[in-house]
Amino acid sequence: MPADALAYAKRRANLLACMRTSEGGVPVALGKRTSNLFRDRAQGRKQRLDLNDFHHVIEVDTDHEWVDAEGLTTYENLVASTLSHEVMPAVVPQLKTITVGGAAAGVGIEATSFRHGLVHETLLEFDVLLPGGEVVLCTPHNEHRDLYYGFPNSYGTLGYALRLRQRTLPVKPCVRVEHLRFEAPRDFFAALAEHCVGTADFIDGVAFGPQTLVINVAGFVERAPWLSDYTFDQIYYRSLLEKPFDYLTTRDYLWRWDTDWFWCSKNFGAQYPLVRRILGRERLNSRTYLRAMRWNARWGLTRRLASLRGRHPETVIQDVDIPLQHAEEFLAFLLREIGILPVWICPLRAVDGQARFTLYPLDPQTLYVNFGFWDSVDSAVAHEPGHFNRLVEREAIRLGGIKSLYSDSYFTREEFARAYAIPRYEALKAKYDPTGRLLGLYDKAVLRA
């Protein structure tokens, strides 16, 4: 057994020894230093399980095209390790601070998802720490295949992933990106579908407005006539409207959205040149903005300022997946009812045609479109809490779509049960957490327990 695998086995044994002496009767929750969840959580009494030692890349196997990494490995570190072997994880979520285990227990997507699906569809196997102190190996074909298919979108309510094996793809040094501009949503979505059956390595898009939409079609190249740098002075999303095509190193392409948190750095003044220089290159990243956002949530600065202005803002941070045939209708709803711009648009397809994932059931025969919109809706009228988020949820479900659960949710129990196959989830919960040591999914995702 390689040294790194032996080290993982030792960490796992030490963890299990600690769990045998743990406190009973108290809900178990993951204790970690960072989080990419965008919903507040109640600070009730919980036993915090410290998995922070599980942050290592164990092995990169280029012959068999996989990488083994521990659950709290960030994608920043995972990508650095795989690129040194001239490969990348098949799907790399947009932000450096997302962890491998978090992307598996949640939902991870990026511009390769039109061909390779969501992050959890790239997993070959993973070890899950069950709340009873047992570690089980989950694969699509072994005795724990029900947990393999039930784990994605469970958000730590069935167990925690300690080690995950993901598929990798070969890379070239650079990426060429072509920006295709459209003035009509119908033409935009038709072209998006056409490119998804082409030869591109990466596809995503942005809606800047009802008549300004851009598809980004990208592919690997061995060398480039020039290389753009969006890690300091230049802002990536602005280049989509300024350049017909562009070149980046593969590393910079994978992290093209992280420097400005897509475009959300504007909320911190970080798109002004002076502020960028004050922050410096090393602080222009999602890690900095997450810390600032947590600080603001704790002290309520923006809420107080809005109150002084007589305004009633509601944070709307959501990702929803909508079948392509309804994508134009959903975009029209967003522009009419929510009004947040820009909107990130990313095509995806479920690649597993044999069995659907329990908590994120996508039709393998359907091309979906992910809409990502992250800002606040500022209203002069006071609405009930979650008013605009509820509108999003109801429209997504009405159009046959599904919503990620990393942020605020307002479903009733009945709506939630229909949308996320909760009867099947409850059977998994009874099997793998029979004493209820972990919170339930509705309690965690909607009630914020």
Side-chain angles (χ1 to χ4, degrees):
M1 182 182 294
D4 289 340
L6 284 170
Y8 162 69
K10 183 177 180 179
R11 285 189 289 273
R12 191 175 78 173
N14 291 338
L15 172 66
L16 296 181
C18 290
M19 287 195 70
R20 284 193 287 270
T21 62
S22 64
E23 182 180 3
V26 178
V28 174
L30 183 61
K32 56 186 295 191
R33 300 185 185 97
T34 63
S35 173
N36 280 279
L37 292 179
F38 291 85
R39 47 179 155 81
D40 295 330
R41 286 163 288 179
Q43 299 301 314
R45 187 182 175 211
K46 296 173 183 148
Q47 178 192 337
R48 295 290 174 181
L49 189 61
D50 187 356
L51 300 182
N52 284 301
D53 285 343
F54 289 83
H55 63 266
H56 302 83
V57 178
I58 300 170
E59 184 179 0
V60 180
D61 188 325
T62 56
D63 291 334
H64 297 93
E65 299 182 318
W66 54 254
V67 56
D68 261 357
E70 294 174 336
L72 266 70
T73 306
T74 64
Y75 270 91
E76 179 178 24
N77 291 336
L78 182 64
V79 165
S81 181
T82 57
L83 288 185
S84 69
H85 295 269
E86 299 182 337
V87 298
M88 60 172 272
V91 178
V92 177
Q94 311 93 332
L95 305 180
K96 295 177 179 180
T97 53
I98 294 173
T99 62
V100 176
V107 177
I109 184 174
E110 237 296 325
T112 57
S113 291
F114 75 99
R115 179 169 292 131
H116 301 287
L118 299 165
V119 165
H120 55 258
E121 296 187 84
T122 72
L123 298 177
L124 301 174
E125 64 179 46
F126 49 93
D127 294 337
V128 175
L129 172 66
L130 300 179
E134 179 186 2
V135 176
V136 297
L137 173 66
C138 299
T139 79
H141 308 293
N142 73 354
E143 68 272 28
H144 298 297
R145 59 185 174 274
D146 56 349
L147 185 55
Y148 174 91
Y149 286 107
F151 191 80
N153 213 32
S154 66
Y155 285 91
T157 64
L158 295 173
Y160 298 108
L162 299 182
R163 178 195 62 87
L164 305 97
R165 179 169 294 179
Q166 302 182 59
R167 288 191 295 108
T168 59
L169 305 174
V171 302
K172 294 179 181 178
C174 305
V175 174
R176 182 186 188 274
V177 190
E178 185 175 6
H179 305 139
L180 307 174
R181 190 161 173 171
F182 296 85
E183 296 181 352
R186 179 167 299 179
D187 296 337
F188 171 87
F189 289 114
L192 192 71
E194 290 178 8
H195 284 289
C196 286
V197 295
T199 60
D201 294 307
F202 307 91
I203 299 174
D204 68 353
V206 176
F208 292 92
Q211 296 178 314
T212 308
L213 306 100
V214 177
I215 297 176
N216 310 303
V217 180
F220 289 115
V221 292
E222 286 288 351
R223 53 185 62 88
W226 76 85
L227 290 169
S228 294
D229 182 353
Y230 298 104
T231 62
F232 190 26
D233 289 323
Q234 304 302 311
I235 295 176
Y236 176 71
Y237 80 93
R238 292 177 178 169
S239 72
L240 276 54
L241 298 175
E242 297 168 350
K243 299 179 179 180
F245 57 92
D246 206 350
Y247 291 91
L248 295 86
T249 67
T250 295
R251 180 190 180 281
D252 283 353
Y253 177 82
L254 293 177
W255 300 129
R256 67 202 183 282
W257 295 120
D258 190 86
T259 302
D260 283 281
W261 215 12
F262 284 83
W263 32 77
C264 297
S265 64
K266 65 184 180 183
N267 296 314
F268 306 97
Q271 294 185 9
Y272 292 105
L274 178 59
V275 176
R276 295 178 87 81
R277 284 171 173 77
I278 292 172
L279 287 172
R281 189 188 300 265
E282 68 278 2
R283 293 189 186 90
L284 289 170
N285 52 50
S286 59
R287 187 175 285 106
T288 296
Y289 309 131
L290 278 167
R291 288 170 180 162
M293 186 197 72
R294 306 286 182 219
W295 181 91
N296 182 59
R298 181 179 304 159
W299 297 104
L301 178 61
T302 54
R303 288 196 302 270
R304 295 177 187 179
L305 292 174
S307 179
L308 290 173
R309 295 185 296 112
R311 307 297 293 181
H312 304 276
E314 179 184 335
T315 299
V316 181
I317 298 176
Q318 302 289 354
D319 276 77
V320 299
D321 298 335
I322 304 295
L324 175 68
Q325 64 266 34
H326 299 305
E328 183 182 353
E329 185 177 357
F330 186 80
L331 179 60
F333 155 81
L334 278 183
L335 297 174
R336 182 180 67 250
E337 302 291 343
I338 309 301
I340 290 175
L341 288 169
V343 176
W344 187 58
I345 293 174
C346 186
L348 70 145
R349 189 185 301 278
V351 297
D352 188 341
Q354 301 303 312
R356 298 182 181 183
F357 287 86
T358 305
L359 293 170
Y360 217 78
L362 299 178
D363 181 358
Q365 306 305 314
T366 298
L367 179 66
Y368 290 81
V369 177
N370 175 272
F371 293 84
F373 40 101
W374 319 288
D375 211 324
S376 62
V377 179
D378 193 13
S379 174
V381 179
H383 296 282
E384 64 173 336
H387 168 77
F388 293 101
N389 285 282
R390 289 175 192 271
L391 291 179
V392 170
E393 290 175 350
R394 290 167 182 166
E395 185 69 1
I397 298 304
R398 185 183 76 83
L399 296 176
I402 191 166
K403 184 178 87 74
S404 299
L405 297 175
Y406 70 90
S407 60
D408 292 333
S409 295
Y410 293 89
F411 296 104
T412 66
R413 285 193 181 272
E414 292 74 19
E415 291 169 338
F416 194 75
R418 289 195 298 270
Y420 297 97
I422 294 305
R424 293 177 61 195
Y425 164 77
E426 289 175 344
L428 288 170
K429 188 76 169 167
K431 178 178 178 179
Y432 291 103
D433 185 22
T435 61
R437 294 205 68 196
L438 299 175
L439 293 167
L441 187 58
Y442 187 82
D443 294 332
K444 196 166 188 177
V446 182
L447 301 183
R448 308 180 191 179

